[in-house]
Amino acid sequence: MWKFTVRRIFVMIPQIILLSVIIFILAKMMPGDALSGLIDPNIDPATIEAKREALGLNNPWYVQYWDWIKNAVQGDLGQSFQFKMPVSEIIGQRLTNTFWLALLTLIITYLIAIPLGITSGRFNDTWGDRLITGYTYVGFGMPLFIFALVMLWIFGFKLGWFPSGGSVKPGLDPGSFEYIVSKIKHMLLPALSAALIATVGTVQYLRSEIIDIKQKDFIQTARAKGASESRVYNRHILRNSLLPIAAFFGYEIAGLIGGSIFIENIFSYPGIGQLFLGSINIRDYSVVTSCVLLFGIAAILGSLLSDIILSIVDPRIRIK
């Protein structure tokens, strides 16, 4: 397994390099540059040009790329003109909120998806299965941002059960019990909204796996040997059905980070997603490129994690 992991890491490195090149080139095609917003456009053009020269913005793109990636490796992602502070500090503050929101969403997703998938697969073609399948069909057809808006309107504004914005109640001491409770309460509604949509794919996949495995020869053999139905399901069907679900764990993480763009903006939750979209609107060049690079690296790492988990849970599989 270690050889496989090292090989996958070596494959991942050129992927990240190629990703950074594409992001940098696309960013250079955007209106404005890293100097936009930092200085008053009404000042002397000669002064602006001198500043551009000092920042290296007149250099060839490959020289600018090398300077950017060299600084990024050292933790210097540039300066945000919106917040007047280093981008690395801003992302560090927001990344914590996004991490906890994604983790809570992931926990809720599996707490809902696994029981529903098992029930639907074990008792397929029953009324319970039809209700669960109907829920997944509605979930597949419901855009995340519309569902999140409905959840916010009902439970945030109409019923007032959850806060409608922010990540914590102002004035609480960090680390106190009230602070932790407030953090969870602010995360619960956006996490539940994202989880109820993210659940549907896992439910359908688990249902299909269980129905398929129930028809395998080794299952019929276990029943013929007199194994109880609960033993057949717990020892044979479920164990084999959950392997692909474990393998998709890394992809779920990457998907949740990407989905945070919609959720965080709808619920005014101060995370990476809200920072990213807000920076696009005002063309905060340094923040946008850093966020896109972060999302891309998260997707690549998620793919790596899924491959490693799959090779662990099923040693017969070796992904080339």
Side-chain angles (χ1 to χ4, degrees), residues 8 57 106-107 115-116 131 133 154 173-174 184 191 194 204 247 266-267 289 312:
R8 284 291 286 110
L57 297 177
L106 195 65
I107 292 172
L116 289 183
L131 288 174
T133 304
I154 294 175
D173 295 327
I184 295 175
Q204 281 283 23
I266 290 171
F267 290 93
T289 53
I312 293 174

Side-chain angles (χ1 to χ4, degrees), residues 155-185:
F155 297 103
F157 293 111
K158 284 294 183 180
L159 299 178
W161 291 356
F162 298 97
S164 58
S167 63
V168 69
K169 184 179 179 180
L172 298 178
D173 295 327
S176 64
F177 178 75
E178 292 80 6
Y179 182 88
I180 296 174
V181 170
S182 178
K183 291 283 286 187
I184 295 175
K185 193 173 181 179

